[in-house]
Amino acid sequence: MIRGYDADPPASAAPRAMTPRSFLLTPELAEYVRASSDPVDPVMADLIRETAEMAARGEVPGTMQIAPEQGVLMRLLTTAVGARTAIEIGTFTGFSALCIAQGLPEDGSLLCLDRSEEWTAVARRHWERAGVAGRIELRIGDALPSLRALPAEEAFDLAFVDADKTGYAAYVAELHPRVRRGGVVLLDNTLRSGRVLDPQDESDRALAELNAALAADPRWETALLPLADGLTLLRKR
Ligand SMILES: C[S@@+](CC[C@H](N)C(=O)[O-])C[C@H]1O[C@@H](n2cnc3c(N)ncnc32)[C@H](O)[C@@H]1O
């Protein structure tokens, strides 16, 4: 196990600045947070490193992957809510899915929706290595039609949303009937690096409006954590 994997990076590792982290934390405090939490395991560390290297070569955007400390929290939450069935919208190279899958029981299942065959090919390789590929089904295509095609019944214990920000409101609306009562939905990037206070583009505006709508929606119990780029927890009442 590697504790605070970027505290002692191998020569091939990307520079620390490439590693996603909570935007409110200094690099030193981010390192402290990681060293004071459960470690990322070697497959997680390799996936973080490989994605950072792809970003350094300009092959993928450099800011997409969730922060390591968020992955560790999501793995813990998945186990803590006793999730057996989960869904992810926005998989990329597979780090968040790996964390969720590791928190599921062996016979648990995670459905991943993403439109990129190329980026998710990296994910599949690491899921295999981690021994969780059997728990994960990946559907390639536009996420909203894929989600709408699922039966509108309470099938999921946990959901994670990390795709196009202007689509979040529709994803949450479609997830509501598909998540069991007491189930949890996690929404990534709900602080937009702080720009929800002064939206600069469509994505910022979409999240600012959704945050306000969710805070007033009695169907969900809502908590916005200032972790990483903002992680909203919704519990279905
Ligand atoms: C921020 S990345 C996800 C990062 C991932 N959760 C992780 O931790 O590595 C967003 C992903 O959403 C996918 N995506 C964006 N809009 C989408 C859509 N409308 N339908 C399906 N996938 C979409 C992109 O292909 C990309 O892989």
Side-chain angles (χ1 to χ4, degrees):
M1 301 287 258
I2 299 175
R3 190 165 276 273
Y5 82 97
D6 61 349
D8 184 21
S12 64
R16 190 172 59 185
M18 295 294 305
T19 306
R21 64 180 166 82
S22 299
F23 75 95
L24 296 167
L25 298 183
T26 60
E28 291 71 25
L29 209 43
E31 221 162 80
Y32 178 82
V33 166
R34 288 167 196 174
S36 307
S37 302
D38 253 21
V40 298
D41 65 33
V43 181
M44 292 161 91
D46 282 351
L47 178 51
I48 293 168
R49 193 174 300 127
E50 184 172 333
T51 306
E53 286 168 1
M54 290 168 74
R57 293 193 298 270
E59 295 166 7
V60 297
T63 54
M64 283 201 162
Q65 191 173 65
I66 62 164
E69 62 269 29
Q70 182 176 334
V72 167
L73 172 72
M74 284 172 46
R75 180 172 60 187
L76 184 156
L77 275 177
T78 304
T79 307
V81 303
R84 307 186 67 81
T85 53
I87 180 168
E88 174 177 88
I89 303 172
T91 294
F92 188 46
T93 57
F95 180 64
S96 50
L98 177 58
C99 300
I100 295 169
Q102 287 183 337
L104 291 171
E106 240 171 70
D107 62 348
S109 66
L110 168 63
L111 176 62
C112 289
L113 308 179
D114 199 290
R115 61 182 168 206
S116 173
E117 192 78 70
E118 189 190 339
W119 295 344
T120 54
V122 177
R124 288 185 199 270
R125 229 179 336 104
H126 288 83
W127 297 340
E128 285 290 345
R129 264 192 66 206
V132 296
R135 288 173 214 172
I136 305 178
E137 182 192 341
L138 175 63
R139 287 192 195 160
I140 300 295
D142 194 7
L144 194 55
S146 299
L147 185 54
R148 285 186 174 145
L150 297 172
E153 56 195 41
E154 298 189 341
F156 298 105
D157 303 313
L158 182 125
F160 177 53
V161 180
D162 188 17
D164 49 321
K165 309 309 160 197
T166 53
Y168 273 34
Y171 297 139
V172 172
E174 294 295 332
L175 283 170
H176 188 269
R178 293 171 174 87
V179 169
R180 72 162 165 83
R181 196 180 290 260
V184 170
V185 177
L186 309 173
L187 307 176
D188 200 32
N189 307 111
T190 48
L191 287 178
R192 300 286 300 159
S193 301
R195 295 188 305 276
V196 282
L197 293 180
D198 181 18
Q200 305 292 311
D201 63 18
E202 281 302 293
S203 296
D204 296 348
R205 258 184 297 281
L207 264 299
E209 285 168 15
L210 181 62
N211 288 340
L214 288 170
D217 189 335
R219 300 172 309 155
W220 299 105
E221 185 179 348
T222 303
L224 199 172
L225 305 183
L227 170 79
D229 190 28
L231 180 69
T232 293
L233 273 62
L234 304 174
R235 191 184 69 86
K236 182 171 164 179
R237 287 195 161 108

